């Protein structure tokens, strides 16, 4: 659900959408399906729910649910969000944070959100390391105000998430307009999987929707291995729940990894033919900000002849374009090439980056390289679970390895 997360992450993503509901009612624990007999906690104790990458077991973000501020100030108050910021500071949580925020507070605009900005300033937190999970129903009359509020939050650096997908009263077309960074599937849906195939189909369709709009997906409240298997089958990478970490987990305990039950091993022989993962062939990437000029790229390529590509990245190190050395320099050397393009954005001359996840097998990566016949030998850009650039892989290295693998059989 680098599924990238901000960059202390690394940070990384859930939260349990339902669990973060700031409205009066059952405790967040019961909402997210986290209830555990015998667990004792003071009413004021916040919950720290790690967001886990299912592939590596790494904790990429922490959801903070301050249970003593869930109803403070009314539905339009950011008191619960402010309390989460302070609780994370007291706990010395260094990972990116996921914090609930009432939809009504976002609709309220800058005046309603001022306490949050002040709390962030006072605690020294950076907005790019905070994912605000919008929770609560949205009425048609508030739709535009909500989108304006989201634009304002995003403009100052916050990442946006929506919680409770599948059970919340939230128009799905609003997700397309809001373009959230993360969507959190309803804990109620996850709790009924895989025993209820209809709910499972609904959850799977939300995963497809998230992919279509470019959002990460978080599955909260995992309690059973059967639920974990279903989530993995849908292609979800980010999850949380008592199956992965106990309710008393704390970021200050220094546990950057948690135990993730192993998936059922593949029984097909085809899996053995795919070779090692691309991460084993990883080389450092030469990156420049996405708004760099063509002259900046020329300077980098001129300084080191061994550089085969320059990757343009955004502020979160996510690849925005790829500049192949040969094609770029040939273009710049053409008639009037330097005069026309040197001081203009290099992105005008960039190709879409050929992105592969760090867990992609070598053979599968070669298939990605071969999809565009004009760019077969372009460097592949390897990204982590949250979409951040980790480095590049040269296609020639993959070809040599696969050839060696075949000759040794």
């Amino acid at each position: 659900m680098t599924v990238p997360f901000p960059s202390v992450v690394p940070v990384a993503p859930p939260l349990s959408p339902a669990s973060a509901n700031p409205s009066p009612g059952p405790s967040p624990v019961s909402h997210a399906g986290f209830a555990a007999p015998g667990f004792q906690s003071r009413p004021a104790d916040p919950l720290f729910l790690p967001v886990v990458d299912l592939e590596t077991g790494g904790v990429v973000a922490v959801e903070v649910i301050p249970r003593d501020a869930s109803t403070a100030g009314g539905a339009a108050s950011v008191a619960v969000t402010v309390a989460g910021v302070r609780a994370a500071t007291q706990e010395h949580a260094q990972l990116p944070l996921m914090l609930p925020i009432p939809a009504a507070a976002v609709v309220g605009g800058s005046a309603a959100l001022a306490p949050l900005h002040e709390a962030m300033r006072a605690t020294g937190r950076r907005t790019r390391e905070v994912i605000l999970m919008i929770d609560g129903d949205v009425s048609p009359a508030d739709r535009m105000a909500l989108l304006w509020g989201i634009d304002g939050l995003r403009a100052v650096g916050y990442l946006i998430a929506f919680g409770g997908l599948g059970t919340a009263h939230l128009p799905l077309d609003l997700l397309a307009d809001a373009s959230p960074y993360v969507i959190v599937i309803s804990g109620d849906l996850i709790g009924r999987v895989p025993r209820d195939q209809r709910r499972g189909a609904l959850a799977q369709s939300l995963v497809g929707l998230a992919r279509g709009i470019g959002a990460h997906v978080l599955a909260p409240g995992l309690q059973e291995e059967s639920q974990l298997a279903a989530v993995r089958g849908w292609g979800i990478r980010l999850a949380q729940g008592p199956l992965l970490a106990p309710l008393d987990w704390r970021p200050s305990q220094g546990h950057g990894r948690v135990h993730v039950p192993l998936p059922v091993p593949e029984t097909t022989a085809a899996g053995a033919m795919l070779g090692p993962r691309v991460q084993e062939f990883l080389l450092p990437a030469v990156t420049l900000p996405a708004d760099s000029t063509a002259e900046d790229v020329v300077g980098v390529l001129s300084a080191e002849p061994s550089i085969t590509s320059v990757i343009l990245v955004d502020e979160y190190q996510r690849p925005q374009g790829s500049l192949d050395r040969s094609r770029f320099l040939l273009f710049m050397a053409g008639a009037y090439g330097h005069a026309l393009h040197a001081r203009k954005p290099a992105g005008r001359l960039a190709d879409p980056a050929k992105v592969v996840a760090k867990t992609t097998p070598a053979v599968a990566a070669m298939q990605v390289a071969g999809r565009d016949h004009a760019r077969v030998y372009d460097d592949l850009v390897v990204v982590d679970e949250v979409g951040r650039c980790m480095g590049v892989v040269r296609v020639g290295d993959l070809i040599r390895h696969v050839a060696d693998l075949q000759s040794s059989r």
Side-chain angles (χ1 to χ4, degrees), residues 291-296 338-349:
D291 58 356
S292 298
T293 65
E295 193 169 47
D296 295 332
H338 191 276
L340 289 173
H341 304 289
R343 297 186 181 279
K344 294 182 179 179
R348 299 168 63 249
L349 306 178

Side-chain angles (χ1 to χ4, degrees), residues 134-189:
I134 298 173
D135 191 54
D137 298 337
V138 179
S139 70
D142 291 335
R143 180 186 180 110
M144 290 308 301
L146 179 69
L147 292 174
W148 290 335
I150 289 173
D151 288 342
L153 290 169
R154 189 178 282 125
V156 296
Y158 292 102
L159 299 177
I160 303 299
F162 278 93
L165 266 291
T167 59
H169 294 166
L170 183 72
L172 294 182
D173 67 320
L174 178 61
L175 295 179
D177 292 339
S179 187
Y181 185 69
V182 181
I183 70 167
V184 184
I185 295 180
S186 167
D188 291 338
L189 283 184

Side-chain angles (χ1 to χ4, degrees), residues 135-358:
D135 191 54
D137 298 337
V138 179
S139 70
D142 291 335
R143 180 186 180 110
M144 290 308 301
L146 179 69
L147 292 174
W148 290 335
I150 289 173
D151 288 342
L153 290 169
R154 189 178 282 125
V156 296
Y158 292 102
L159 299 177
I160 303 299
F162 278 93
L165 266 291
T167 59
H169 294 166
L170 183 72
L172 294 182
D173 67 320
L174 178 61
L175 295 179
D177 292 339
S179 187
Y181 185 69
V182 181
I183 70 167
V184 184
I185 295 180
S186 167
D188 291 338
L189 283 184
I190 299 298
R192 299 174 71 169
V193 170
R195 299 178 183 86
D196 189 331
Q197 293 184 352
R198 291 174 294 181
R199 260 58 177 195
L202 173 58
Q204 189 171 9
S205 69
L206 292 174
V207 175
L209 170 63
R211 287 174 178 162
I213 63 175
H216 300 289
V217 184
L218 177 63
L222 297 185
Q223 301 185 71
E224 304 171 1
E225 292 197 23
S226 58
Q227 294 171 344
L228 176 60
V231 165
R232 276 182 163 138
W234 301 333
I236 295 177
R237 290 284 300 274
L238 302 172
Q240 62 181 179
L243 178 66
L244 306 175
L247 281 176
D248 59 354
W249 183 91
R250 289 290 185 273
S252 59
Q253 295 170 344
H255 300 320
R257 304 180 76 83
V258 301
H259 170 70
V260 178
L262 294 174
V264 177
E266 295 287 344
T267 57
T268 61
M273 299 292 293
L274 297 178
R277 296 179 177 182
V278 293
Q279 192 171 6
E280 297 184 23
F281 305 94
L282 197 62
L283 296 173
V286 176
T287 62
L288 286 175
D291 58 356
S292 298
T293 65
E295 193 169 47
D296 295 332
V297 179
V298 171
V300 170
L301 295 176
S302 300
E304 179 51 68
S306 65
I307 296 174
T308 56
S309 64
V310 173
I311 310 303
L312 302 178
V313 297
D314 64 13
E315 60 180 324
Y316 301 116
Q317 293 299 301
R318 296 173 296 192
Q320 302 298 302
S322 174
L323 293 160
D324 177 76
R325 179 189 185 93
S326 299
R327 288 199 303 275
F328 178 80
L329 292 181
L330 184 63
F331 194 88
M332 294 296 292
Y336 309 108
H338 191 276
L340 289 173
H341 304 289
R343 297 186 181 279
K344 294 182 179 179
R348 299 168 63 249
L349 306 178
D351 295 303
K354 288 189 173 183
V355 175
V356 294
K358 65 181 182 180

